[in-house]
């Protein structure tokens, strides 16, 4: 069975690179009826892990990637790790190293001076003497002295590291706390993880983890190291490229489906398809299709996808989502039909929910200035609007369709072309020459407010 995991270190908010990793692991498990676990790597107790953990879980809840079973917390598993450290010590596969920090630094200095790569010289590997007093030892693994460590990465291909390039790295610090590579290995093995998809910033950790798998006699999972996400200039993504935190995107009014669709295409493809429902992603995802070239973060593409998903969203969904964005009171005073027409008119015109809320407020607030420069013949415009005001009746406002009929009848009776009526009418109602349709605007504002706006305009 395919068992994957997402293993964030709670050092801050969940950012989009992390969410992409989570998504790939989630989709792989879901694509083949496997399991997807969440493991919080919270062994670094100095940091504000509690808050960061909560932020990660909140973001996870928003994006809706369901996790199987309980969440795993490394901070609750320290005894398990210590047991395995002891096992390796007992089996002679690991050893105490009593070298002080100063000694290690001095060794490195000498090596550097000789033009060598600084590296621990394994002086305690077979140490049988009396340990120096006053030193709390670290525990080091006995890494192979010759040969090579290799594995086949699902993205990078064959990865091979010569034994000389690896030293006897530390697996437990002098305070007894196991190191990062050690706990990752233990957990992945005990959780039965079959496939690890993660950022290629972890590629250099993998040979060390393989040494540990071998020392512990654990089955080695399949690895897929995906290239980083780059910005459009080809540099590592940074805050300057826009929001980084997943919840920042929520606050900006992006839809979770758009964000997930956007992220899945950063490093993965399926034919030429660009738009994927979550259902399709689950059906099609295969790590074999992960790209080995870095992917490029295009804010425009995200905007395009968000517009698409907004347009496709049912009105009830939009109404529910807009609750997180401050809509003006005027919106709540509208009838359900008016609300629907307004949202329907806006949903194909905006990029985000935030824009949408802004546009709602704009429609419902009387204009403070008018695009008069767009009017070719102002006198005629005033004449036409005066005549229209005189002919509009409350019952015309029962639906956009009746308004449409009324406006057509008016144009016909006056012998006027549409442009001569619609443009001044739109400017008088909304202030602008563009925007939602005129009959929709009239319907949303209703008889009273429409007439009021027209009168204010005519009085100018
Ligand atoms: N905790 C690591 C991180 O947040 C991930 C470890 C892994 O995926 O192996 O980068």
């Amino acid at each position: 069975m395919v068992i994957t995991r997402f293993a964030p270190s709670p050092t801050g908010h969940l950012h989009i690179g992390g969410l992409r990793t989570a998504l790939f692991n989630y989709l792989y498990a879901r694509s083949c009826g496997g399991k997807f676990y969440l493991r919080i790597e919270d062994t670094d107790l100095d940091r504000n892990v509690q808050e960061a953990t909560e932020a990660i879980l909140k973001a996870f809840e928003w994006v809706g990637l369901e996790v199987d079973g309980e969440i795993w917390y490394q901070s609750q598993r320290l005894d398990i790790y210590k047991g395995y450290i002891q096992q390796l010590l007992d089996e002679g596969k690991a050893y105490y190293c009593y070298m002080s920090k100063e000694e290690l630094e001095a060794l490195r200095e000498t090596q550097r001076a000789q033009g060598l790569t600084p590296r621990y010289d394994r002086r305690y590997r077979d140490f049988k003497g009396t340990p120096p007093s006053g030193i709390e030892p670290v525990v080091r693994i006995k890494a192979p002295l010759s040969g090579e460590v290799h594995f086949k990465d699902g993205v990078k291909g064959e990865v091979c590291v010569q034994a000389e390039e690896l030293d006897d790295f530390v697996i437990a610090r002098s305070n007894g706390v196991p190191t990062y590579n050690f706990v990752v290995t233990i957990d992945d093995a005990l959780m039965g993880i079959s496939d690890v998809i993660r950022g290629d910033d972890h590629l250099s950790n993998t040979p060390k983890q393989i040494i540990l798998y071998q020392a512990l006699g654990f089955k080695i999972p399949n690895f897929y190291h995906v290239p980083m996400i780059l910005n459009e200039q080809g540099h590592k993504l940074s805050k300057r490229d826009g929001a980084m935190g997943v919840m920042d995107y929520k606050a900006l009014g992006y839809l979770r489906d758009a964000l997930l669709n956007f992220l899945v295409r950063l490093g993965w493809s399926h034919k030429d398809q660009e738009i994927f429902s979550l259902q399709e992603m689950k059906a099609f995802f295969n790590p074999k299709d992960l790209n080995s070239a870095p992917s490029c973060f295009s804010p425009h593409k995200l905007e395009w996808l968000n517009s698409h998903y907004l347009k496709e969203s049912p009105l009830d969904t939009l109404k529910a989502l807009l609750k997180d964005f401050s809509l003006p009171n005027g919106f709540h005073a509208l009838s359900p039909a008016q609300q629907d027409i307004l949202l329907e008119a806006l949903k194909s015109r905006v990029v985000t929910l935030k824009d949408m809320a802004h546009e709602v407020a704009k429609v419902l607030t009387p204009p403070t200035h008018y695009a008069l420069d767009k009017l070719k013949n102002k006198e005629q415009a005033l004449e036409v609007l005066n005549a229209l005001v005189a002919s509009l009746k409350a019952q015309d406002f029962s639906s956009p369709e009746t308004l449409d009929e009324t406006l057509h009848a008016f144009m016909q009776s006056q012998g006027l072309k549409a442009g001569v009526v619609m443009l001044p009418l739109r400017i008088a109602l909304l202030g602008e020459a563009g925007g939602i349709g005129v009959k929709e605007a009239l319907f949303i504002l209703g008889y009273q407010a429409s007439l009021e706006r027209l009168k204010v305009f005519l009085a100018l």
Side-chain angles (χ1 to χ4, degrees):
M1 177 159 47
V2 168
I3 303 180
T4 63
R5 49 56 163 193
F6 176 52
S9 304
T11 52
H13 292 254
L14 180 63
H15 54 84
I16 52 161
L19 179 56
R20 180 187 66 154
T21 303
L23 180 64
F24 287 163
N25 282 287
Y26 168 82
L27 293 176
Y28 188 27
R30 293 293 171 260
S31 74
C32 49
K35 296 244 177 280
F36 171 67
Y37 296 140
L38 177 60
R39 179 173 79 223
I40 304 292
E41 307 216 308
D42 55 350
T43 51
D44 190 351
L45 300 170
D46 300 342
R47 307 211 202 198
N48 200 356
V49 286
Q50 182 73 24
E51 209 176 296
T53 302
E54 275 161 27
I56 291 170
L57 297 182
K58 218 168 141 202
F60 236 69
E61 197 184 310
W62 176 57
V63 292
L65 306 184
E66 334 77 58
V67 170
D68 291 306
E70 297 289 312
I71 298 171
W72 303 65
Y73 290 91
Q74 287 188 329
S75 57
Q76 295 168 4
R77 299 167 55 77
L78 290 170
D79 288 345
I80 298 175
Y81 308 135
K82 284 183 184 162
Y84 281 100
I85 299 271
Q86 194 55 51
Q87 179 189 316
L88 289 176
L89 284 166
D90 294 345
E91 292 174 355
K93 292 175 178 169
Y95 60 93
Y96 288 114
C97 168
Y98 296 88
M99 212 167 167
S100 67
K101 269 205 187 84
E102 295 72 28
E103 280 177 295
L104 195 56
E105 204 27 66
L107 171 68
R108 288 187 177 139
E109 235 3 276
T110 319
Q111 288 168 329
R112 271 189 219 111
Q114 292 168 353
L116 301 169
T117 312
R119 172 168 303 141
Y120 172 64
D121 61 4
R122 298 184 154 119
R123 66 178 67 170
Y124 283 98
R125 185 167 166 127
D126 296 306
F127 181 72
K128 297 274 183 313
T130 318
S133 61
I135 302 255
E136 287 296 339
V138 298
V139 179
R140 289 180 181 272
I141 186 77
K142 286 186 180 170
L145 298 173
S146 61
E148 56 194 30
V149 178
H150 59 93
F151 65 99
K152 190 162 170 23
D153 187 272
V155 176
K156 306 275 172 189
E158 202 63 47
V159 178
C160 192
V161 178
Q162 299 304 315
E164 302 92 73
E165 290 173 41
L166 298 159
D167 63 2
D168 289 354
F169 55 92
V170 174
I171 55 173
R173 299 184 186 89
S174 52
N175 61 6
V177 177
T179 54
Y180 166 75
N181 281 309
F182 189 76
V183 297
V184 167
T185 306
I186 297 292
D187 282 344
D188 282 343
L190 298 187
M191 289 163 70
I193 302 302
S194 63
D195 294 83
V196 173
I197 306 175
R198 61 187 172 198
D200 66 4
D201 49 334
H202 285 291
L203 190 60
S204 61
N205 287 323
T206 309
K208 294 183 185 175
Q209 293 174 14
I210 285 178
I211 289 174
L212 295 172
Y213 279 104
Q214 286 166 340
L216 292 155
F218 289 143
K219 188 170 182 300
I220 300 172
N222 302 316
F223 290 103
Y224 305 84
H225 288 92
V226 291
M228 299 280 97
I229 304 172
L230 303 180
N231 66 15
E232 289 180 299
Q233 288 71 46
H235 300 130
K236 209 176 150 222
L237 204 59
S238 77
K239 284 216 172 75
R240 244 173 298 150
D241 300 302
M244 297 291 290
V246 168
M247 293 309 261
D248 295 337
Y249 284 95
K250 178 177 190 273
L252 286 168
Y254 285 91
L255 302 179
R256 104 195 164 127
D257 288 351
L259 187 60
L260 294 179
N261 192 154
F262 174 69
L263 291 177
V264 83
R265 287 284 293 106
L266 291 178
W268 176 81
S269 54
H270 177 72
K271 302 183 185 147
D272 307 336
Q273 194 167 331
E274 283 295 350
I275 308 248
F276 293 90
S277 67
L278 197 54
Q279 226 38 50
E280 285 176 308
M281 289 184 213
K282 288 183 198 173
F284 300 153
F285 187 84
N286 187 327
K288 277 206 218 90
D289 300 320
L290 288 168
N291 303 335
S292 58
S295 48
C296 167
F297 179 96
S298 154
H300 296 299
K301 184 156 174 208
L302 177 57
E303 289 175 3
W304 173 72
L305 281 167
N306 209 58
S307 308
H308 167 82
Y309 280 95
L310 272 182
K311 219 178 294 171
E312 300 287 305
S313 294
L315 294 178
D316 286 344
T317 308
L318 286 181
K319 279 188 202 165
L321 291 170
L322 282 167
K323 290 207 174 100
D324 289 337
F325 297 84
S326 53
L327 287 172
N329 287 334
F331 181 77
H332 305 292
L334 298 178
S335 70
Q338 286 171 316
Q339 291 186 348
D340 286 355
I341 296 286
L342 178 53
L343 297 185
E344 188 63 48
L346 290 176
K347 75 180 193 177
S348 54
R349 296 174 181 275
V350 294
V351 171
T352 63
L353 290 166
K354 202 174 163 185
D355 294 344
M356 198 160 189
H358 179 76
E359 291 299 318
V360 166
K362 231 167 97 181
V363 171
L364 297 180
T365 311
T368 49
H369 59 272
Y370 299 92
L372 295 176
D373 55 317
K374 295 280 180 344
L375 291 175
K376 283 204 197 82
N377 187 337
K378 296 196 182 66
E379 251 118 81
Q380 187 193 28
L382 291 182
E383 227 169 84
V384 168
L385 290 183
N386 266 314
L388 183 68
V389 166
S391 79
L392 281 176
K393 288 184 262 339
Q395 63 263 34
D396 299 332
F397 286 73
S398 58
S399 73
E401 291 72 36
T402 50
L403 279 160
D404 196 40
E405 283 161 25
T406 305
L407 290 174
H408 272 97
F410 172 76
M411 287 185 274
Q412 221 157 29
S413 69
Q414 306 277 315
L416 296 168
K417 286 213 195 92
V420 177
V421 180
M422 296 306 207
L423 185 62
L425 182 51
R426 177 198 294 281
I427 290 174
L429 291 171
L430 302 171
E432 291 173 358
I436 64 170
V438 171
K439 57 182 191 290
E440 284 82 8
L442 285 166
F443 176 70
I444 292 156
L445 295 173
Y447 178 63
Q448 294 290 352
S450 296
L451 240 45
E452 216 158 282
R453 286 195 189 187
L454 286 169
K455 284 180 184 158
V456 169
F457 179 77
L458 290 169
L460 278 182

